Amino acid sequence: MILTQCAVCATELGLSLGKKCGRCSTRYCGPECQVQHWKEGGHDTLCKKIKKAGGAEQYNANEKYAEAVAVAAEACADDTKGQTCYICTQALHWKTKEGLVRGCACRGTAGFAHVSCLAEEAKILFAEAEENNLDGKALESRWARWYECSLCEQRYHGVVYCALSWACWKTYLGRPESNRARIAAMTELGIGLYAAGRFEDALSAQKADMATLRRIGASEHSILDVQTNLANTYGALGRHESALHMKRDVYSGRYTLFGKEHRETLRAANNYAFSLVSIQHSEEARSLLRKTMPVARRVLGENDELTLSLRGVYALMLFTPDDATLDDLREAVSTLADAGRIARRVLGSGHPTAVRIEQSLRQARAILSTREGDVEPLRAAVEAMAPGDA
Ligand SMILES: [Zn+2]
Ligand SMILES: [Zn+2]
Ligand SMILES: [Zn+2]
Ligand SMILES: [Zn+2]
């Protein structure tokens, strides 16, 4: 994560409290921890190495990046056996000796790559756009190479996303605090850590991100983006009330800023509805989803990841309450079966949205068959009681 704690006692320092090692910028809550780190924490031998790497933040990011690449390559090992990188054409990276990964919707023999090769490409493309002063749209599409596969145009997911987000952060962290690429990289890191299920680390990166944005007076738009990520992380950590409040704010903020048909507004609605469903506020969830789903289907289309995700949340809202009716359960199963089919075809069966829908479908079917089972014997019993012909 981003270094916001004392290196010795882990006291939270935010972006500016405490003091730094004069040589390598390692952060401490005060002189006592610093002295202890030097004498007993091995800092006397590490300090030079950290300074040489470019300071504490850079050193930490480099280390975390190498760990994340190893984790990603390990997780992809079965999938990538016998394949080669589509960028450098080798199985093992010539310099780092890292293995291959694939964490997008590419199938067959497509899309295998080294995290280092993907990162190098993204870095070069973005640098080119900056040097040539390309417009905001071009910058954004180049930046997308940090989080989206250029072949299948789907977002990376899981540990592959996480490794790339460390690559992104270590590339731009040395820039001034208000630099757009540095801020965007910090946001990527938060999302990447979340994608890998490292929620505590994601929370710390996202809090630092938010503090930075507030400090430099960033736009409402950027703040809403980070609030969204923060809300998801609160949700994942089980802090549902915090998540709910934040998601409601983001939804109404986006609605006001962009209108009801904008993708960002629809995404915010999806997030807010999911929170409502998870704490069983079914009525509110129902009215929000009834309003939002038709808009998503019309504006984004049936094959869009967000439309599929909304349908998944709608089904959850139908089948998870204890008092769900048989009609609710049947509608949930048919919604999930249909959305699941589309998700597998469009996103690939390994995509998180496809996986989530598949899991929900299994649960909904299990509940439905139990409930139908309850009803069948009852009906048989009633029929048995029916008076026979006189
Ligand atoms: Zn300390
Ligand atoms: Zn030092
Ligand atoms: Zn490669
Ligand atoms: Zn791909």
Side-chain angles (χ1 to χ4, degrees), residues 99-325:
L100 295 162
V101 300
R102 183 167 71 174
C104 52
C106 281
R107 263 148 298 165
T109 56
F112 295 105
H114 298 113
V115 177
S116 293
C117 291
L118 294 170
E120 193 61 20
E121 272 208 338
K123 180 177 155 184
I124 292 169
L125 281 167
F126 188 72
E128 252 176 32
E130 282 189 314
E131 272 163 32
N132 298 320
N133 287 316
L134 299 186
D135 62 10
K137 213 167 181 180
L139 276 176
E140 247 171 62
S141 83
R142 300 275 179 113
W143 182 263
R145 297 294 288 271
W146 283 112
Y147 59 78
E148 198 176 274
C149 170
S150 63
L151 306 175
C152 66
E153 299 187 334
Q154 295 295 323
R155 268 182 180 270
Y156 297 110
H157 48 76
V159 288
V160 174
Y161 197 147
C162 185
L164 265 166
S165 74
W166 275 116
C168 183
W169 174 237
K170 92 182 172 72
T171 303
Y172 303 107
L173 70 86
R175 293 187 174 194
E177 192 183 49
S178 60
N179 178 273
R180 274 176 57 183
R182 185 185 191 273
I183 292 169
M186 203 189 284
T187 306
E188 284 306 320
L189 181 60
I191 305 173
L193 289 164
Y194 179 93
R198 317 244 336 230
F199 303 125
E200 289 291 350
D201 292 345
L203 189 65
S204 135
Q206 286 160 347
K207 279 184 169 170
D209 196 3
M210 185 72 99
T212 307
L213 290 177
R214 290 243 154 87
R215 198 150 85 164
I216 63 167
S219 70
E220 182 69 8
H221 183 174
S222 322
I223 288 178
L224 286 172
D225 285 350
V226 178
Q227 268 182 329
T228 304
N229 301 337
L230 205 48
N232 288 336
T233 307
Y234 279 131
L237 288 167
R239 293 164 66 175
H240 295 299
E241 284 299 326
S242 305
L244 187 71
H245 288 150
M246 205 163 265
K247 287 180 185 187
R248 183 165 52 214
D249 290 350
V250 171
Y251 173 60
S252 62
R254 290 231 169 106
Y255 199 103
T256 314
L257 212 55
F258 303 129
K260 68 172 180 185
E261 293 191 352
H262 195 282
R263 171 179 281 276
E264 295 303 320
T265 309
L266 294 169
R267 189 172 290 288
N270 185 49
N271 284 337
Y272 180 34
F274 179 75
S275 264
L276 287 169
V277 170
S278 37
I279 56 170
Q280 306 250 324
H281 287 199
S282 299
E283 277 321 304
E284 276 172 271
R286 190 181 294 261
S287 87
L288 178 61
L289 286 163
R290 288 249 155 95
K291 214 164 56 182
T292 311
M293 258 195 346
V295 181
R297 295 174 99 154
R298 178 166 52 79
V299 177
L300 307 174
E302 295 292 342
N303 290 344
D304 194 277
E305 189 264 329
L306 187 50
T307 307
L308 293 166
S309 185
L310 273 162
R311 295 183 71 194
V313 176
Y314 178 74
L316 270 184
M317 182 257 325
L318 289 172
F319 84 80
T320 48
D322 293 334
D323 59 353
T325 66

Side-chain angles (χ1 to χ4, degrees), residues 1-161:
M1 66 238 84
I2 295 165
L3 300 174
T4 57
Q5 295 177 345
C6 170
V8 176
C9 68
T11 294
E12 196 52 55
L13 304 173
L15 294 177
S16 57
L17 297 177
K19 67 191 301 281
K20 290 177 176 175
C21 170
R23 283 166 294 268
C24 75
S25 300
T26 293
R27 296 181 65 186
Y28 303 99
C29 61
E32 275 173 33
C33 276
Q34 185 174 9
V35 170
Q36 194 199 329
H37 206 217
W38 186 268
K39 286 187 175 158
E40 294 151 38
H43 194 74
D44 54 337
T45 53
L46 258 185
C47 183
K48 242 193 200 150
K49 206 173 151 193
I50 297 173
K51 181 178 167 24
K52 209 171 146 224
E57 196 71 70
Q58 189 70 57
Y59 181 82
N60 176 60
N62 295 351
E63 298 269 299
K64 295 284 169 137
Y65 167 70
E67 282 168 28
V69 169
V71 168
E74 172 71 32
C76 298
D78 284 341
D79 192 28
T80 59
K81 217 180 221 147
Q83 306 291 339
T84 53
C85 174
Y86 75 89
I87 299 168
C88 73
T89 74
Q90 303 299 309
L92 270 188
H93 191 272
W94 65 278
K95 190 171 165 199
T96 64
K97 307 294 176 213
E98 74 199 63
L100 295 162
V101 300
R102 183 167 71 174
C104 52
C106 281
R107 263 148 298 165
T109 56
F112 295 105
H114 298 113
V115 177
S116 293
C117 291
L118 294 170
E120 193 61 20
E121 272 208 338
K123 180 177 155 184
I124 292 169
L125 281 167
F126 188 72
E128 252 176 32
E130 282 189 314
E131 272 163 32
N132 298 320
N133 287 316
L134 299 186
D135 62 10
K137 213 167 181 180
L139 276 176
E140 247 171 62
S141 83
R142 300 275 179 113
W143 182 263
R145 297 294 288 271
W146 283 112
Y147 59 78
E148 198 176 274
C149 170
S150 63
L151 306 175
C152 66
E153 299 187 334
Q154 295 295 323
R155 268 182 180 270
Y156 297 110
H157 48 76
V159 288
V160 174
Y161 197 147

